Amino acid sequence: MIIRSQDKKSITNFSQLTDISIHPIGTNNKYYSVVACYPFAIGDDYSNMSIGKYSTEEKAIKVLDMIEKQYLDYCCNYHSKSGIFQMPQDSEV
């Protein structure tokens, strides 16, 4: 499965990721970024890439729920679901 970023400028191969997590942006936690983490080819260093930004932590968690559902639907019933997850805009969550 692949995930296309919210701004549509990047595609991430889900199978290459170590995790997808939520990180607060800034010191006041006004926004939350959904971050895809993947290892570098050399050593134990990791690279992080923001794939979406949301106005509340609850919205970011809902997006993780959506990714999880899409992934499970794709893996278990690959004929019925697309292998592409488009990160929704904040207003769509």
Side-chain angles (χ1 to χ4, degrees):
M1 185 173 98
I2 60 173
I3 300 173
R4 187 151 190 185
S5 64
Q6 192 177 47
D7 64 6
K8 301 181 188 319
K9 293 181 180 179
S10 63
I11 293 176
T12 301
N13 184 335
F14 189 84
S15 66
Q16 300 298 315
L17 299 176
T18 57
D19 66 81
I20 298 176
S21 55
I22 298 168
H23 296 270
I25 299 173
T27 56
N28 61 359
N29 299 346
K30 188 173 179 178
Y31 290 96
Y32 294 84
S33 182
V34 176
V35 176
C37 302
Y38 53 96
F40 283 124
I42 300 172
D44 292 330
D45 291 330
Y46 289 88
S47 179
N48 299 328
M49 178 177 64
S50 177
I51 55 176
K53 181 173 120 178
Y54 299 94
S55 58
T56 66
E57 186 176 31
E58 292 77 20
K59 285 184 177 186
I61 290 170
K62 186 173 180 182
V63 171
L64 288 184
D65 292 342
M66 294 165 69
I67 292 170
E68 177 184 18
K69 183 180 183 324
Q70 175 88 15
Y71 179 74
L72 291 173
D73 287 346
Y74 176 70
C75 288
C76 299
N77 303 306
Y78 61 88
H79 293 294
S80 64
K81 293 289 181 179
S82 170
I84 302 168
F85 182 84
Q86 172 64 56
M87 293 295 291
Q89 297 298 318
D90 185 75
S91 61
E92 297 173 320
V93 180

